[in-house]
Amino acid sequence: MPPNSCNPAPLHLARKTLPSWLIYFVCLCAALMLAFPAQAQNASDPRLLRLLSLMQQRLDLAQDVAMYKWNTRAAIDDPVREQQILDALAQQAPQYGLEPKLAQDFFAAQIIAGKMIQTALFTEWMSKSQAPLSNPPDLKTHIRPALDQLTPQLLISMAEAQPVLQAKDSQQAVKLAAADASMPKKTVPGYMAAWEYALRSLTVR
């Protein structure tokens, strides 16, 4: 037999020695790996999943903020403090390997997302003539310290996730990772719309 000719003996031998279901399983796995390599890698990327988890933790605090502001009759918008936060982020961003504008745009979106939830809650409470809520978390001693603690964690996670977010298929990666992320407060008014808005900040450049 010529040296370059195909010898069917190994395949014939494999069919005799391996169960048919095992051969089918191996072929199926190989086909799936060829069909969805990028999606599988991006969906399971721990850097992206960690960032989404921290974003959710920050967004979850919006309900506490709304409760505090409802009881104290404070305005939802606080442009002076919001600008102070964004200015501070512009100074901190280079320490984490991030462009100042990238950090500002990301956090500006998170702030807006939080206010979307606050607005939805205020609308619901006004329609029900809601009385002051019992024992809401305090803004200065509970909520702001929690937000401040999340800020450096988000900056670190944002920097670590940049290789994924700068890839061509970043939109698909975010979409697949978001599908894997838990949504513990889906029923909070405005939460889903706010979450979608926060997610878009990861891929809009």
Side-chain angles (χ1 to χ4, degrees), residues 5 15 26 32 57 66 87 93 97 106 110 113 115 120 156 173 178 189 191:
S5 65
R15 286 174 178 168
V26 171
L32 290 174
Q57 290 178 46
D87 289 343
F106 171 74
Q110 309 315 303
K115 292 194 294 185
I156 292 170
Y191 191 97

Side-chain angles (χ1 to χ4, degrees), residues 2-21:
N4 292 330
S5 65
C6 178
N7 185 357
L11 179 59
H12 179 70
L13 182 61
R15 286 174 178 168
K16 282 188 174 182
T17 57
L18 293 177
S20 59
W21 66 265

Side-chain angles (χ1 to χ4, degrees), residues 87-117:
D87 289 343
L89 284 164
Q91 295 181 350
Q92 298 172 33
Q95 304 172 26
Y96 297 88
L98 293 170
E99 292 290 333
K101 187 177 185 305
L102 179 65
Q104 284 185 317
D105 289 348
F106 171 74
F107 274 90
Q110 309 315 303
I111 291 171
I112 291 173
K115 292 194 294 185
M116 289 170 67
I117 293 176

Side-chain angles (χ1 to χ4, degrees), residues 6-161:
C6 178
N7 185 357
L11 179 59
H12 179 70
L13 182 61
R15 286 174 178 168
K16 282 188 174 182
T17 57
L18 293 177
S20 59
W21 66 265
L22 182 56
I23 296 174
Y24 173 80
F25 178 75
V26 171
C27 292
L28 179 62
C29 289
L32 290 174
M33 290 176 66
L34 289 173
F36 306 106
Q39 291 90 331
Q41 180 181 358
N42 289 333
S44 61
D45 193 301
R47 297 166 296 181
L48 190 54
L49 293 174
R50 170 64 174 164
L51 177 59
L52 297 189
S53 174
L54 291 169
M55 288 167 61
Q56 284 185 356
Q57 290 178 46
R58 193 183 197 285
L59 198 59
D60 289 345
L61 291 169
Q63 186 176 17
D64 293 342
V65 175
M67 293 170 65
Y68 176 88
K69 290 182 176 180
W70 179 260
N71 278 19
T72 59
R73 299 181 181 275
I76 291 176
D77 286 316
D78 190 351
V80 174
R81 176 165 177 79
E82 290 168 15
Q83 191 58 52
Q84 290 173 345
I85 293 172
L86 295 177
D87 289 343
L89 284 164
Q91 295 181 350
Q92 298 172 33
Q95 304 172 26
Y96 297 88
L98 293 170
E99 292 290 333
K101 187 177 185 305
L102 179 65
Q104 284 185 317
D105 289 348
F106 171 74
F107 274 90
Q110 309 315 303
I111 291 171
I112 291 173
K115 292 194 294 185
M116 289 170 67
I117 293 176
Q118 295 175 49
T119 300
L121 285 167
F122 267 43
T123 300
E124 180 180 274
W125 293 337
M126 284 188 288
S127 70
K128 297 178 178 179
S129 299
Q130 175 68 50
L133 301 160
S134 59
N135 301 320
D138 185 74
L139 185 67
K140 292 183 179 179
T141 62
H142 175 80
I143 301 171
R144 283 183 179 169
L147 289 169
D148 292 342
Q149 186 175 15
L150 281 170
T151 296
Q153 297 180 53
L154 278 162
L155 287 168
I156 292 170
S157 188
M158 185 72 174
E160 292 176 344

